Amino acid sequence: AFAPSKSPLFTHTTTTTSTNTQLYQQNDYNVVFRTSTESDSFDSLKLGTARVHRYSDPNSGLDGDTEYIMWYHARDQSLNEAGKDLPPLSTGRIGRATSRNGLIWERDEVGSVDTDMTGVSMGLNTDSWWGFDTAHVGLGQVLMPMVGPAIRSEGGVYIMYYMGGSYEETQIGLYLEDEKRARVPEDAMIKGMKLKIGAAISQDGVTWGRVEGDDPSGACVVPYDAADGNVADVSMKAGIPEELYCGWPEVVVNPVAEEDQKKAAKDKKRDNFFMYYSTMLKDTKEKAIGYATSEN
């Protein structure tokens, strides 16, 4: 599990762009992947956060035989329907595509057999109604730490860090500065905005199994809320300001020299993983980058 660290390091602003058509548009000649033209596809409305791995196949007899794998999150119109009241993001479900040259991509139109929509690699959490990721999910990062960064081998395990939101309601005004908040009714609510971060593992990069985090919702990193007894003690001691959400995780593996691996594995105080994530501070409404550490 990740332990929160002290106050966020840098302030930042993020923007999201998307397109809802597969057809070429003026000045988009360099676009290599677009939304699906199938209206019932999970990725027919918006795309976001593409993560690409390039692998060489050591078992192939071809010289320079490589494969690119892309994971991405996407949304279809159904998640924007009235009554769902989700934030207008590109998050929804996570898909997968492959390419031989990194330019021409082929969608995985089958996806995992245990997801809630066809063509989805990891979908909404339909097994745990109390889970943090029942309304929409978004991709953070995919790691394969058991092998070299460019060689895929049997036995390698992918680790996906992702964010998710449930249908829990929060006041829209919490996310707005004073001037904008005055224009919004006090009882105006939004769902799925209290994002939390979770992890999943896979042996093939197609079918994913969620890893239960320490939080009752199943998340491994949650926004610090002084009213939440599950995180208050740890976060108060670390001096962390209250946060409104945790999302868009980036995880860095702390490398270990081969001769020190056994020693590092037994060192419970060693931070083997560093996570950087996007958040918003509750008091100041500043967008910021926070970080957390983990031994496992």
Side-chain angles (χ1 to χ4, degrees):
F2 280 89
S5 297
K6 292 191 176 180
S7 56
L9 305 177
F10 307 99
T11 58
H12 76 292
T13 302
T14 59
T15 59
T16 302
T17 59
S18 63
T19 176
N20 60 0
T21 177
Q22 278 277 59
L23 301 177
Y24 280 92
Q25 299 177 357
Q26 187 177 6
N27 297 327
D28 76 346
Y29 58 88
N30 62 335
V31 176
V32 297
F33 196 73
R34 295 175 175 78
T35 52
S36 173
T37 56
E38 302 294 331
S39 60
D40 60 349
S41 177
F42 81 97
D43 55 356
S44 57
L45 182 63
K46 295 181 179 181
L47 303 173
T49 311
R51 296 297 185 187
V52 177
H53 286 198
R54 176 183 178 273
Y55 297 107
S56 61
D57 187 352
N59 299 317
S60 172
L62 300 177
D63 221 9
D65 188 21
T66 61
E67 181 181 38
Y68 294 81
I69 300 177
M70 177 197 297
W71 293 270
Y72 62 96
H73 67 236
R75 177 173 293 199
D76 68 321
Q77 188 60 45
S78 69
L79 292 182
N80 283 0
E81 291 175 353
K84 291 196 173 177
D85 301 326
L86 296 177
L89 302 172
S90 57
T91 52
R93 297 171 174 88
I94 295 172
R96 180 178 177 272
T98 58
S99 172
R100 282 296 178 185
N101 58 12
L103 299 175
I104 301 173
W105 291 90
E106 181 178 351
R107 278 178 169 80
D108 181 349
E109 297 183 354
V110 177
S112 176
V113 296
D114 61 353
T115 55
D116 59 321
M117 283 186 75
T118 301
V120 172
S121 190
M122 193 173 83
L124 306 181
N125 188 346
T126 58
D127 295 326
S128 306
W129 60 265
W130 62 87
F132 73 96
D133 49 357
T134 55
H136 64 126
V137 296
L139 182 61
Q141 191 170 17
V142 178
L143 296 180
M144 195 175 178
M146 290 184 64
V147 297
I151 301 294
R152 179 171 50 192
S153 67
E154 295 183 7
V157 175
Y158 296 90
I159 303 177
M160 176 188 292
Y161 296 96
Y162 69 98
M163 55 192 167
S166 68
Y167 286 106
E168 176 186 359
E169 291 185 330
T170 52
Q171 289 182 312
I172 293 179
L174 288 175
Y175 305 93
L176 302 175
E177 296 175 350
D178 292 343
E179 181 182 347
K180 294 180 179 178
R181 186 165 61 247
R183 307 175 200 164
V184 178
E186 287 188 14
D187 59 351
M189 308 295 283
I190 192 170
K191 299 175 183 176
M193 192 59 210
K194 193 173 182 180
L195 299 171
K196 301 178 181 180
I197 296 171
I201 58 174
S202 172
Q203 289 188 322
D204 59 7
V206 178
T207 300
W208 295 86
R210 286 171 163 85
V211 177
E212 197 79 13
D214 289 340
D215 190 71
S217 67
C220 61
V221 176
V222 301
Y224 168 45
D225 182 348
D228 185 349
N230 295 304
V231 298
D233 289 344
V234 175
S235 298
M236 286 179 68
K237 291 176 182 178
I240 295 177
E242 288 190 277
E243 302 167 328
L244 293 172
Y245 59 77
C246 292
W248 295 272
E250 291 272 355
V251 176
V252 180
V253 179
N254 188 5
V256 183
E258 187 173 350
E259 61 271 18
D260 297 329
Q261 287 182 358
K262 289 185 178 180
K263 180 181 178 182
K266 297 178 181 179
D267 187 355
K268 299 299 182 181
K269 296 182 179 180
R270 188 179 193 276
D271 295 325
N272 292 316
F273 295 85
F274 293 88
M275 175 187 289
Y276 301 87
Y277 61 90
S278 175
T279 187
M280 176 181 280
L281 304 185
K282 184 177 181 180
D283 291 338
T284 64
K285 306 300 184 263
E286 289 179 288
K287 290 184 177 180
I289 295 176
Y291 77 99
T293 59
S294 175
E295 66 178 66
N296 58 10

